[in-house]
């Protein structure tokens, strides 16, 4: 550690450039990871808030809520307890005077079931009549307020916002919670249609009857449009950044090791063991990574504080720990590359040169 600190202090510019590169890569890793988690969360916020474990859909719907229809025949022998709830879903465009139009998902829910009762209100109250709705809190950022009367898909009927709900998004779109009667009207379903799906908080719940089929909630989430592709894309980018950090650290340390072979030979001739020189190289790498990552963490905290709420970024403790440990592992592996050259240094030949 002493040799590592001495050399870094002596070659401030060289090691400063390495720290700069590590900082930039670490910052990008933290940023991409936060965006990936934030976007993934906006796909599943509502599902997570329901604590859903299973979902029942039409078996011909390709595990898509928007394509699913359950008729009364499908639910002839249904078993709905306190942990189950009917939902109806339809895509809508929210419009109101002097407010921007917003693409959203309307969910019809029943007042005697858990989704209605468990709404996490941040303002207002739960909707009671056919024309009262609660909406995702993100609509407040677009200027919508309690008491606003809106139209859905250009409907003549106006719906009154009576409450704002926290964590009410699905597939990135804000949710509008309303009555089943409103869902039927917006979806224009036949009289024999009972719901779009059944959601259950019971991990052992299973209901397969006629065209109804039960799926684990994880299967449903992975089939959300773009969800899996989005996560794979971010995962590959983050993985490549870790590989790039490994290459940068390894190349820089190897070049610096080659440049100081004469000094290493002199130290070996003085009786300094190889393990001390190897330890100095590894310590040097750890110090550089730690300094670069700390600077990146500080800038990420600042970034997270100043970014607008509309940016779906979630800078969590898990991301901080995983990113830091990942960079440390890459740094240690990168520092092992020049070790072979250190172990094979020939003191007599190097001094002679």
């Amino acid at each position: 550690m002493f040799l590592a600190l001495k050399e870094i202090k002596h070659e401030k510019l060289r090691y400063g450039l390495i720290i700069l590169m590590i900082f930039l890569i670490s910052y990008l890793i933290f940023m991409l990871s936060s965006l990936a988690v934030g976007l993934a969360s906006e796909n599943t916020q509502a599902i997570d808030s329901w604590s859903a474990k299973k979902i029942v859909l039409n078996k011909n719907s390709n595990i898509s809520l928007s394509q699913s229809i359950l008729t009364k025949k499908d639910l002839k022998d249904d078993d709905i307890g306190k942990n189950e709830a009917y939902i109806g879903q339809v895509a809508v465009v929210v419009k109101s005077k002097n407010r921007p139009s917003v693409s959203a998902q309307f969910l019809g829910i029943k007042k005697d079931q858990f989704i209605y009762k468990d709404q996490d209100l941040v303002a207002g109250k739960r909707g009671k009549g056919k024309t009262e709705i609660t909406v995702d809190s993100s609509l407040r950022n677009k200027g919508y307020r309690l008491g606003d009367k809106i139209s859905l898909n250009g409907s003549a009927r106006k719906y009154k916002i009576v409450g704002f709900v926290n964590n009410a998004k699905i597939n990135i779109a804000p949710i509008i919670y309303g009555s089943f009667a409103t869902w039927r009207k917006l979806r224009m379903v036949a009289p024999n249609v009972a719901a779009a799906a059944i959601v259950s908080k019971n991990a052992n719940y299973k209901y397969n009857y006629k065209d109804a089929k039960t799926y684990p909630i994880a299967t449903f989430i992975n089939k959300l449009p773009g969800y899996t592709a989005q996560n794979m894309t971010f995962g590959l980018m983050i993985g490549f950044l870790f590989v790039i950090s490994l290459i940068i650290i390894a190349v820089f340390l190897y070049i610096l090791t080659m440049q100081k072979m004469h000094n290493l030979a002199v130290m070996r001739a003085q009786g300094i063991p190889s393990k001390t020189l190897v330890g100095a190289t590894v310590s040097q790498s750890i110090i550089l990574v730690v300094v670069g990552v700390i600077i990146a963490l500080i800038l990420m905290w600042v970034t997270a504080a100043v970014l607008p709420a509309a940016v779906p970024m979630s800078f969590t403790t898990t991301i901080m720990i995983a990113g830091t440990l990942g960079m440390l592992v890459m740094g240690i592996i990168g520092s092992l590359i020049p070790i072979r050259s250190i172990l094979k240094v020939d003191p007599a030949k190097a001094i002679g040169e």
Side-chain angles (χ1 to χ4, degrees):
M1 184 67 76
F2 172 77
L3 287 174
L5 290 171
K6 260 303 192 188
E7 189 171 358
I8 291 172
K9 186 177 180 181
H10 185 261
E11 298 286 353
K12 295 183 182 69
L13 180 59
R14 288 182 180 181
Y15 289 103
L17 291 173
I18 300 176
I19 290 172
L20 176 63
M21 294 300 296
I22 293 171
F23 151 69
L24 291 173
I25 293 173
S26 300
Y27 179 73
L28 192 53
I29 287 173
F30 289 136
M31 178 65 77
L32 287 176
S33 300
S34 299
L35 289 172
V37 172
L39 284 169
S41 172
E42 291 207 342
N43 275 284
T44 63
Q45 273 185 3
I47 300 168
D48 294 338
S49 71
W50 303 336
S51 300
K53 299 295 187 296
K54 292 290 183 70
I55 186 168
V56 180
L57 300 165
N58 187 296
K59 66 182 181 182
N60 300 311
S61 66
N62 194 29
I63 320 180
S64 170
L65 180 59
S66 62
Q67 301 298 320
S68 178
I69 287 292
L70 297 176
T71 65
K72 293 176 182 178
K73 289 183 178 180
D74 296 326
L75 306 177
K76 182 178 179 181
D77 297 320
D78 60 327
D79 181 14
I80 299 295
K82 64 179 182 179
N83 290 321
E84 284 75 51
Y86 289 125
I87 57 173
Q89 183 266 349
V90 61
V92 295
V93 176
V94 178
K95 291 184 178 181
S96 181
K97 188 177 181 180
N98 300 322
R99 303 280 190 266
S101 298
V102 179
S103 296
Q105 296 289 335
F106 183 92
L107 285 191
I109 55 177
K110 293 194 172 184
K111 296 180 179 63
D112 58 343
Q113 295 175 345
F114 76 87
I115 293 180
Y116 175 85
K117 297 175 182 178
D118 293 348
Q119 291 179 75
D120 183 12
L121 291 168
V122 294
K125 62 179 182 177
R126 297 178 182 86
K128 292 183 178 180
K130 292 181 181 180
T131 59
E132 290 187 347
I133 57 173
T134 54
V135 303
D136 179 58
S137 58
S138 64
L139 266 70
R140 291 201 294 184
N141 299 328
K142 299 182 182 295
Y144 287 84
R145 297 291 180 262
L146 289 175
D148 280 358
K149 292 186 177 181
I150 66 172
S151 65
L152 302 174
N153 290 346
S155 60
R157 174 176 284 185
K158 299 296 182 181
Y159 300 90
K160 184 179 179 181
I161 298 176
V162 297
F164 287 99
V165 184
N166 196 30
N167 296 326
K169 284 191 177 75
I170 188 167
N171 214 195
I172 308 180
I175 284 177
I176 312 295
Y177 286 116
S179 69
F180 249 82
T182 301
W183 169 71
R184 289 176 182 279
K185 185 175 181 180
L186 292 169
R187 184 72 189 270
M188 294 184 290
V189 295
N192 68 328
V193 172
I198 302 172
V199 176
S200 177
K201 294 195 288 186
N202 182 0
N204 298 317
Y205 183 76
K206 190 173 184 179
Y207 179 79
N208 298 321
Y209 183 79
K210 297 287 187 179
D211 287 336
K213 186 174 180 180
T214 306
Y215 300 94
I217 204 67
T219 302
F220 169 70
I221 289 172
N222 288 329
K223 290 287 287 185
L224 288 172
Y227 180 81
T228 301
Q230 170 190 293
N231 288 343
M232 288 181 64
T233 301
F234 275 108
L236 284 172
M237 287 192 292
I238 293 166
F240 278 125
L241 284 173
F242 277 121
V243 173
I244 291 169
S245 69
L246 168 62
I247 294 171
I248 287 174
I249 293 169
V251 169
F252 269 92
L253 289 179
Y254 182 79
I255 292 173
L256 291 174
T257 299
M258 293 300 101
Q259 290 177 343
K260 62 185 180 184
M261 288 300 289
H262 180 78
N263 295 333
L264 294 174
V266 171
M267 286 188 283
R268 291 282 284 111
Q270 290 176 335
I272 297 176
S274 297
K275 67 177 183 179
T276 300
L277 301 179
V278 170
T281 301
V282 175
S283 300
Q284 206 170 70
S285 176
I286 292 174
I287 292 169
L288 296 175
V289 171
V290 168
V291 173
V293 169
I294 288 174
I295 297 172
L297 285 171
I298 293 171
L299 187 58
M300 268 304 301
W301 282 324
V302 175
T303 303
V306 300
L307 280 178
V311 179
M313 190 178 75
S314 178
F315 186 46
T316 64
T317 304
T318 302
I319 291 174
M320 288 189 284
I321 294 173
T324 301
L325 290 178
M327 288 299 295
L328 281 173
V329 170
M330 293 300 105
I332 292 171
I333 294 173
S335 69
L336 299 178
I337 305 299
I339 283 178
R340 185 170 177 270
S341 300
I342 296 173
L343 295 175
K344 288 192 171 185
V345 66
D346 184 353
K349 184 179 178 181
I351 294 172
E353 292 174 352

